[in-house]
mmCIF file of all heavy atoms in Angstrom:
data_model
loop_
_atom_site.group_PDB
_atom_site.id
_atom_site.type_symbol
_atom_site.label_atom_id
_atom_site.label_comp_id
_atom_site.label_asym_id
_atom_site.label_seq_id
_atom_site.Cartn_x
_atom_site.Cartn_y
_atom_site.Cartn_z
ATOM 1 N N PHE U 108 -10.623 4.541 -16.638
ATOM 2 C CA PHE U 108 -11.459 5.068 -15.558
ATOM 3 C C PHE U 108 -10.868 4.721 -14.193
ATOM 4 O O PHE U 108 -10.991 5.488 -13.236
ATOM 5 C CB PHE U 108 -12.889 4.523 -15.664
ATOM 6 C CG PHE U 108 -13.810 5.361 -16.514
ATOM 7 C CD1 PHE U 108 -14.347 4.865 -17.689
ATOM 8 C CD2 PHE U 108 -14.166 6.641 -16.116
ATOM 9 C CE1 PHE U 108 -15.211 5.632 -18.463
ATOM 10 C CE2 PHE U 108 -15.030 7.422 -16.884
ATOM 11 C CZ PHE U 108 -15.547 6.908 -18.062
ATOM 12 N N LEU U 109 -10.244 3.557 -14.106
ATOM 13 C CA LEU U 109 -9.657 3.160 -12.816
ATOM 14 C C LEU U 109 -8.516 4.111 -12.433
ATOM 15 O O LEU U 109 -8.457 4.618 -11.313
ATOM 16 C CB LEU U 109 -9.145 1.713 -12.900
ATOM 17 C CG LEU U 109 -8.653 1.102 -11.590
ATOM 18 C CD1 LEU U 109 -9.789 0.990 -10.579
ATOM 19 C CD2 LEU U 109 -8.046 -0.284 -11.827
ATOM 20 N N TYR U 111 -8.024 7.133 -13.502
ATOM 21 C CA TYR U 111 -8.652 8.438 -13.297
ATOM 22 C C TYR U 111 -9.224 8.514 -11.878
ATOM 23 O O TYR U 111 -8.977 9.460 -11.126
ATOM 24 C CB TYR U 111 -9.745 8.561 -14.355
ATOM 25 C CG TYR U 111 -10.601 9.797 -14.369
ATOM 26 C CD1 TYR U 111 -10.269 10.866 -15.178
ATOM 27 C CD2 TYR U 111 -11.784 9.867 -13.652
ATOM 28 C CE1 TYR U 111 -11.084 11.985 -15.254
ATOM 29 C CE2 TYR U 111 -12.606 10.981 -13.716
ATOM 30 C CZ TYR U 111 -12.248 12.039 -14.520
ATOM 31 O OH TYR U 111 -13.060 13.136 -14.594
ATOM 32 N N GLY U 112 -9.980 7.474 -11.500
ATOM 33 C CA GLY U 112 -10.615 7.457 -10.178
ATOM 34 C C GLY U 112 -9.591 7.426 -9.060
ATOM 35 O O GLY U 112 -9.721 8.137 -8.059
ATOM 36 N N LEU U 116 -9.067 10.067 -6.148
ATOM 37 C CA LEU U 116 -9.191 9.573 -4.774
ATOM 38 C C LEU U 116 -8.052 10.140 -3.929
ATOM 39 O O LEU U 116 -8.242 10.550 -2.782
ATOM 40 C CB LEU U 116 -9.135 8.046 -4.782
ATOM 41 C CG LEU U 116 -9.602 7.283 -3.549
ATOM 42 C CD1 LEU U 116 -11.066 7.535 -3.286
ATOM 43 C CD2 LEU U 116 -9.377 5.779 -3.746
ATOM 44 N N GLY U 165 -16.052 16.845 -1.287
ATOM 45 C CA GLY U 165 -17.291 16.112 -1.562
ATOM 46 C C GLY U 165 -17.486 15.887 -3.049
ATOM 47 O O GLY U 165 -17.758 14.775 -3.503
ATOM 48 N N THR U 166 -17.329 16.952 -3.803
ATOM 49 C CA THR U 166 -17.528 16.853 -5.251
ATOM 50 C C THR U 166 -16.599 15.819 -5.861
ATOM 51 O O THR U 166 -17.024 14.945 -6.624
ATOM 52 C CB THR U 166 -17.234 18.224 -5.896
ATOM 53 O OG1 THR U 166 -18.016 19.209 -5.238
ATOM 54 C CG2 THR U 166 -17.554 18.210 -7.365
ATOM 55 N N ILE U 167 -15.329 15.900 -5.503
ATOM 56 C CA ILE U 167 -14.343 15.001 -6.101
ATOM 57 C C ILE U 167 -14.607 13.562 -5.698
ATOM 58 O O ILE U 167 -14.615 12.654 -6.531
ATOM 59 C CB ILE U 167 -12.916 15.443 -5.708
ATOM 60 C CG1 ILE U 167 -12.547 16.698 -6.492
ATOM 61 C CG2 ILE U 167 -11.911 14.331 -5.956
ATOM 62 C CD1 ILE U 167 -11.193 17.264 -6.164
ATOM 63 N N MET U 168 -14.848 13.332 -4.408
ATOM 64 C CA MET U 168 -15.040 11.953 -3.964
ATOM 65 C C MET U 168 -16.257 11.324 -4.641
ATOM 66 O O MET U 168 -16.195 10.201 -5.133
ATOM 67 C CB MET U 168 -15.213 11.897 -2.448
ATOM 68 C CG MET U 168 -13.917 12.109 -1.706
ATOM 69 S SD MET U 168 -12.671 10.948 -2.288
ATOM 70 C CE MET U 168 -11.541 10.951 -0.933
ATOM 71 N N ILE U 169 -17.368 12.068 -4.681
ATOM 72 C CA ILE U 169 -18.590 11.489 -5.236
ATOM 73 C C ILE U 169 -18.491 11.323 -6.752
ATOM 74 O O ILE U 169 -18.705 10.250 -7.290
ATOM 75 C CB ILE U 169 -19.808 12.359 -4.891
ATOM 76 C CG1 ILE U 169 -20.058 12.276 -3.383
ATOM 77 C CG2 ILE U 169 -21.048 11.913 -5.660
ATOM 78 C CD1 ILE U 169 -21.137 13.195 -2.893
ATOM 79 N N PHE U 170 -18.146 12.412 -7.430
ATOM 80 C CA PHE U 170 -18.258 12.389 -8.886
ATOM 81 C C PHE U 170 -16.973 11.982 -9.599
ATOM 82 O O PHE U 170 -17.023 11.494 -10.712
ATOM 83 C CB PHE U 170 -18.694 13.768 -9.404
ATOM 84 C CG PHE U 170 -20.050 14.178 -8.924
ATOM 85 C CD1 PHE U 170 -20.198 15.108 -7.914
ATOM 86 C CD2 PHE U 170 -21.193 13.620 -9.483
ATOM 87 C CE1 PHE U 170 -21.459 15.484 -7.470
ATOM 88 C CE2 PHE U 170 -22.459 13.986 -9.042
ATOM 89 C CZ PHE U 170 -22.590 14.915 -8.030
ATOM 90 N N PHE U 171 -15.834 12.232 -8.985
ATOM 91 C CA PHE U 171 -14.577 12.011 -9.712
ATOM 92 C C PHE U 171 -13.765 10.839 -9.175
ATOM 93 O O PHE U 171 -12.756 10.479 -9.750
ATOM 94 C CB PHE U 171 -13.736 13.289 -9.703
ATOM 95 C CG PHE U 171 -14.379 14.423 -10.461
ATOM 96 C CD1 PHE U 171 -15.311 15.249 -9.850
ATOM 97 C CD2 PHE U 171 -14.097 14.622 -11.804
ATOM 98 C CE1 PHE U 171 -15.929 16.269 -10.554
ATOM 99 C CE2 PHE U 171 -14.708 15.646 -12.516
ATOM 100 C CZ PHE U 171 -15.635 16.472 -11.896
ATOM 101 N N ALA U 172 -14.177 10.273 -8.033
ATOM 102 C CA ALA U 172 -13.443 9.113 -7.520
ATOM 103 C C ALA U 172 -14.343 7.882 -7.490
ATOM 104 O O ALA U 172 -14.091 6.891 -8.174
ATOM 105 C CB ALA U 172 -12.888 9.409 -6.129
ATOM 106 N N ILE U 173 -15.432 7.950 -6.691
ATOM 107 C CA ILE U 173 -16.271 6.756 -6.539
ATOM 108 C C ILE U 173 -16.965 6.405 -7.854
ATOM 109 O O ILE U 173 -16.958 5.260 -8.295
ATOM 110 C CB ILE U 173 -17.302 6.978 -5.416
ATOM 111 C CG1 ILE U 173 -16.572 7.077 -4.071
ATOM 112 C CG2 ILE U 173 -18.300 5.850 -5.383
ATOM 113 C CD1 ILE U 173 -17.496 7.385 -2.918
ATOM 114 N N THR U 174 -17.569 7.399 -8.504
ATOM 115 C CA THR U 174 -18.282 7.113 -9.755
ATOM 116 C C THR U 174 -17.359 6.503 -10.819
ATOM 117 O O THR U 174 -17.689 5.461 -11.382
ATOM 118 C CB THR U 174 -18.970 8.389 -10.287
ATOM 119 O OG1 THR U 174 -19.774 8.928 -9.244
ATOM 120 C CG2 THR U 174 -19.836 8.118 -11.488
ATOM 121 N N PRO U 175 -16.204 7.110 -11.108
ATOM 122 C CA PRO U 175 -15.354 6.480 -12.120
ATOM 123 C C PRO U 175 -14.874 5.084 -11.735
ATOM 124 O O PRO U 175 -14.788 4.215 -12.588
ATOM 125 C CB PRO U 175 -14.145 7.417 -12.234
ATOM 126 C CG PRO U 175 -14.515 8.653 -11.548
ATOM 127 C CD PRO U 175 -15.673 8.400 -10.660
ATOM 128 N N ILE U 176 -14.603 4.858 -10.448
ATOM 129 C CA ILE U 176 -14.076 3.537 -10.091
ATOM 130 C C ILE U 176 -15.181 2.496 -10.166
ATOM 131 O O ILE U 176 -15.081 1.497 -10.879
ATOM 132 C CB ILE U 176 -13.431 3.555 -8.690
ATOM 133 C CG1 ILE U 176 -12.176 4.443 -8.702
ATOM 134 C CG2 ILE U 176 -13.053 2.138 -8.270
ATOM 135 C CD1 ILE U 176 -11.491 4.579 -7.367
ATOM 136 N N LEU U 177 -16.282 2.734 -9.448
ATOM 137 C CA LEU U 177 -17.328 1.708 -9.403
ATOM 138 C C LEU U 177 -18.040 1.567 -10.741
ATOM 139 O O LEU U 177 -18.253 0.468 -11.228
ATOM 140 C CB LEU U 177 -18.362 2.070 -8.316
ATOM 141 C CG LEU U 177 -18.183 1.461 -6.938
ATOM 142 C CD1 LEU U 177 -18.412 -0.021 -6.949
ATOM 143 C CD2 LEU U 177 -16.866 1.792 -6.332
ATOM 144 N N ILE U 178 -18.446 2.688 -11.316
ATOM 145 C CA ILE U 178 -19.287 2.607 -12.514
ATOM 146 C C ILE U 178 -18.430 2.613 -13.775
ATOM 147 O O ILE U 178 -18.581 1.774 -14.652
ATOM 148 C CB ILE U 178 -20.307 3.762 -12.540
ATOM 149 C CG1 ILE U 178 -21.083 3.762 -11.217
ATOM 150 C CG2 ILE U 178 -21.251 3.619 -13.727
ATOM 151 C CD1 ILE U 178 -22.081 4.879 -11.074
ATOM 152 N N GLY U 179 -17.494 3.570 -13.848
ATOM 153 C CA GLY U 179 -16.659 3.661 -15.052
ATOM 154 C C GLY U 179 -15.766 2.439 -15.206
ATOM 155 O O GLY U 179 -15.779 1.766 -16.222
ATOM 156 N N ALA U 180 -14.986 2.147 -14.171
ATOM 157 C CA ALA U 180 -14.003 1.070 -14.308
ATOM 158 C C ALA U 180 -14.685 -0.293 -14.298
ATOM 159 O O ALA U 180 -14.539 -1.087 -15.229
ATOM 160 C CB ALA U 180 -12.967 1.157 -13.199
ATOM 161 N N PHE U 181 -15.450 -0.582 -13.248
ATOM 162 C CA PHE U 181 -15.985 -1.939 -13.165
ATOM 163 C C PHE U 181 -17.223 -2.130 -14.028
ATOM 164 O O PHE U 181 -17.477 -3.243 -14.502
ATOM 165 C CB PHE U 181 -16.174 -2.347 -11.703
ATOM 166 C CG PHE U 181 -14.839 -2.550 -11.055
ATOM 167 C CD1 PHE U 181 -14.290 -1.586 -10.234
ATOM 168 C CD2 PHE U 181 -14.081 -3.663 -11.370
ATOM 169 C CE1 PHE U 181 -13.018 -1.748 -9.711
ATOM 170 C CE2 PHE U 181 -12.814 -3.832 -10.855
ATOM 171 C CZ PHE U 181 -12.279 -2.874 -10.013
ATOM 172 N N GLY U 182 -17.990 -1.068 -14.275
ATOM 173 C CA GLY U 182 -19.088 -1.190 -15.224
ATOM 174 C C GLY U 182 -18.538 -1.578 -16.583
ATOM 175 O O GLY U 182 -18.978 -2.544 -17.212
ATOM 176 N N ALA U 208 -15.372 12.746 -19.712
ATOM 177 C CA ALA U 208 -15.134 12.739 -18.268
ATOM 178 C C ALA U 208 -13.749 13.321 -17.973
ATOM 179 O O ALA U 208 -13.554 14.089 -17.022
ATOM 180 C CB ALA U 208 -15.240 11.320 -17.711
ATOM 181 N N LEU U 257 -19.630 16.148 -17.006
ATOM 182 C CA LEU U 257 -19.547 14.805 -16.450
ATOM 183 C C LEU U 257 -20.907 14.109 -16.524
ATOM 184 O O LEU U 257 -20.992 12.910 -16.770
ATOM 185 C CB LEU U 257 -19.077 14.883 -14.991
ATOM 186 C CG LEU U 257 -18.577 13.575 -14.418
ATOM 187 C CD1 LEU U 257 -17.329 13.110 -15.141
ATOM 188 C CD2 LEU U 257 -18.294 13.726 -12.937
ATOM 189 N N SER U 260 -21.354 12.775 -19.915
ATOM 190 C CA SER U 260 -20.509 11.594 -20.067
ATOM 191 C C SER U 260 -21.160 10.378 -19.412
ATOM 192 O O SER U 260 -21.231 9.295 -20.002
ATOM 193 C CB SER U 260 -19.137 11.878 -19.456
ATOM 194 O OG SER U 260 -18.541 10.703 -18.997
ATOM 195 N N SER U 261 -21.676 10.560 -18.186
ATOM 196 C CA SER U 261 -22.281 9.421 -17.494
ATOM 197 C C SER U 261 -23.572 8.977 -18.158
ATOM 198 O O SER U 261 -23.893 7.795 -18.170
ATOM 199 C CB SER U 261 -22.576 9.766 -16.038
ATOM 200 O OG SER U 261 -21.387 10.059 -15.364
ATOM 201 N N TYR U 268 -24.503 1.008 -21.256
ATOM 202 C CA TYR U 268 -24.614 -0.146 -20.357
ATOM 203 C C TYR U 268 -25.975 -0.815 -20.523
ATOM 204 O O TYR U 268 -26.078 -2.040 -20.616
ATOM 205 C CB TYR U 268 -24.470 0.281 -18.888
ATOM 206 C CG TYR U 268 -23.090 0.753 -18.470
ATOM 207 C CD1 TYR U 268 -22.058 0.912 -19.380
ATOM 208 C CD2 TYR U 268 -22.828 1.024 -17.130
ATOM 209 C CE1 TYR U 268 -20.812 1.353 -18.981
ATOM 210 C CE2 TYR U 268 -21.573 1.462 -16.713
ATOM 211 C CZ TYR U 268 -20.575 1.640 -17.643
ATOM 212 O OH TYR U 268 -19.340 2.073 -17.238
ATOM 213 N N LEU U 292 -25.094 -2.841 -11.593
ATOM 214 C CA LEU U 292 -24.610 -1.864 -12.568
ATOM 215 C C LEU U 292 -25.723 -1.456 -13.526
ATOM 216 O O LEU U 292 -25.827 -0.289 -13.926
ATOM 217 C CB LEU U 292 -23.429 -2.448 -13.342
ATOM 218 C CG LEU U 292 -22.140 -2.577 -12.524
ATOM 219 C CD1 LEU U 292 -21.165 -3.533 -13.185
ATOM 220 C CD2 LEU U 292 -21.502 -1.207 -12.332
ATOM 221 N N THR U 295 -28.148 0.907 -11.726
ATOM 222 C CA THR U 295 -27.474 2.194 -11.610
ATOM 223 C C THR U 295 -27.551 2.969 -12.915
ATOM 224 O O THR U 295 -27.814 4.174 -12.931
ATOM 225 C CB THR U 295 -25.998 1.967 -11.244
ATOM 226 O OG1 THR U 295 -25.937 1.698 -9.856
ATOM 227 C CG2 THR U 295 -25.150 3.158 -11.546
ATOM 228 N N ASN U 299 -29.030 6.630 -13.604
ATOM 229 C CA ASN U 299 -28.170 7.637 -14.227
ATOM 230 C C ASN U 299 -28.853 8.249 -15.442
ATOM 231 O O ASN U 299 -28.865 9.467 -15.618
ATOM 232 C CB ASN U 299 -26.858 6.990 -14.685
ATOM 233 C CG ASN U 299 -25.710 7.347 -13.767
ATOM 234 O OD1 ASN U 299 -25.733 8.380 -13.107
ATOM 235 N ND2 ASN U 299 -24.712 6.496 -13.714
ATOM 236 N N LEU U 303 -29.511 12.064 -14.124
ATOM 237 C CA LEU U 303 -28.439 13.012 -14.416
ATOM 238 C C LEU U 303 -28.928 14.180 -15.266
ATOM 239 O O LEU U 303 -28.532 15.321 -15.039
ATOM 240 C CB LEU U 303 -27.253 12.306 -15.060
ATOM 241 C CG LEU U 303 -26.344 11.662 -14.017
ATOM 242 C CD1 LEU U 303 -25.305 10.788 -14.675
ATOM 243 C CD2 LEU U 303 -25.677 12.720 -13.163
ATOM 244 N N PHE U 347 -32.519 14.669 -8.158
ATOM 245 C CA PHE U 347 -31.356 13.939 -8.637
ATOM 246 C C PHE U 347 -30.580 13.327 -7.463
ATOM 247 O O PHE U 347 -30.131 12.180 -7.519
ATOM 248 C CB PHE U 347 -30.419 14.883 -9.411
ATOM 249 C CG PHE U 347 -28.966 14.522 -9.278
ATOM 250 C CD1 PHE U 347 -28.428 13.511 -10.062
ATOM 251 C CD2 PHE U 347 -28.155 15.153 -8.353
ATOM 252 C CE1 PHE U 347 -27.104 13.140 -9.909
ATOM 253 C CE2 PHE U 347 -26.833 14.783 -8.203
ATOM 254 C CZ PHE U 347 -26.303 13.773 -8.977
ATOM 255 N N GLU U 351 -29.007 9.653 -6.698
ATOM 256 C CA GLU U 351 -27.551 9.601 -6.866
ATOM 257 C C GLU U 351 -26.894 8.730 -5.788
ATOM 258 O O GLU U 351 -25.966 7.971 -6.076
ATOM 259 C CB GLU U 351 -26.941 11.015 -6.845
ATOM 260 C CG GLU U 351 -25.420 11.081 -6.692
ATOM 261 C CD GLU U 351 -24.631 10.548 -7.887
ATOM 262 O OE1 GLU U 351 -25.242 10.299 -8.943
ATOM 263 O OE2 GLU U 351 -23.404 10.375 -7.747
ATOM 264 N N ILE U 354 -27.300 5.466 -6.951
ATOM 265 C CA ILE U 354 -26.460 5.255 -8.134
ATOM 266 C C ILE U 354 -25.092 4.751 -7.678
ATOM 267 O O ILE U 354 -24.510 3.851 -8.262
ATOM 268 C CB ILE U 354 -26.317 6.576 -8.927
ATOM 269 C CG1 ILE U 354 -27.610 6.893 -9.657
ATOM 270 C CG2 ILE U 354 -25.142 6.498 -9.918
ATOM 271 C CD1 ILE U 354 -27.677 8.280 -10.274
ATOM 272 N N LEU U 355 -24.606 5.327 -6.586
ATOM 273 C CA LEU U 355 -23.297 4.917 -6.105
ATOM 274 C C LEU U 355 -23.339 3.567 -5.406
ATOM 275 O O LEU U 355 -22.443 2.741 -5.575
ATOM 276 C CB LEU U 355 -22.740 5.965 -5.145
ATOM 277 C CG LEU U 355 -22.512 7.330 -5.762
ATOM 278 C CD1 LEU U 355 -22.004 8.297 -4.719
ATOM 279 C CD2 LEU U 355 -21.520 7.252 -6.899
ATOM 280 N N PRO U 358 -23.956 -0.530 -7.531
ATOM 281 C CA PRO U 358 -22.900 -1.411 -8.016
ATOM 282 C C PRO U 358 -22.186 -2.115 -6.866
ATOM 283 O O PRO U 358 -21.889 -3.312 -6.943
ATOM 284 C CB PRO U 358 -21.930 -0.462 -8.740
ATOM 285 C CG PRO U 358 -22.721 0.749 -9.036
ATOM 286 C CD PRO U 358 -23.760 0.861 -7.965
ATOM 287 N N MET U 489 -22.359 5.866 2.161
ATOM 288 C CA MET U 489 -21.879 6.165 0.826
ATOM 289 C C MET U 489 -20.377 5.975 0.742
ATOM 290 O O MET U 489 -19.895 5.103 0.038
ATOM 291 C CB MET U 489 -22.266 7.594 0.486
ATOM 292 C CG MET U 489 -21.890 8.016 -0.864
ATOM 293 S SD MET U 489 -23.139 9.110 -1.509
ATOM 294 C CE MET U 489 -22.666 10.625 -0.797
ATOM 295 N N VAL U 493 -19.159 2.240 -0.266
ATOM 296 C CA VAL U 493 -18.768 2.223 -1.668
ATOM 297 C C VAL U 493 -17.257 2.061 -1.805
ATOM 298 O O VAL U 493 -16.769 1.345 -2.672
ATOM 299 C CB VAL U 493 -19.268 3.496 -2.372
ATOM 300 C CG1 VAL U 493 -18.847 3.495 -3.811
ATOM 301 C CG2 VAL U 493 -20.769 3.584 -2.270
#
Side-chain angles (χ1 to χ4, degrees):
F108 271 115
L109 187 64
Y111 178 94
L116 196 63
T166 307
I167 286 178
M168 286 306 201
I169 292 174
F170 297 104
F171 295 85
I173 293 176
T174 307
I176 294 178
L177 265 292
I178 306 178
F181 289 101
L257 196 64
S260 152
S261 298
Y268 291 6
L292 289 162
T295 281
N299 255 334
L303 277 171
F347 148 81
E351 167 68 11
I354 286 170
L355 298 178
M489 182 145 82
V493 179

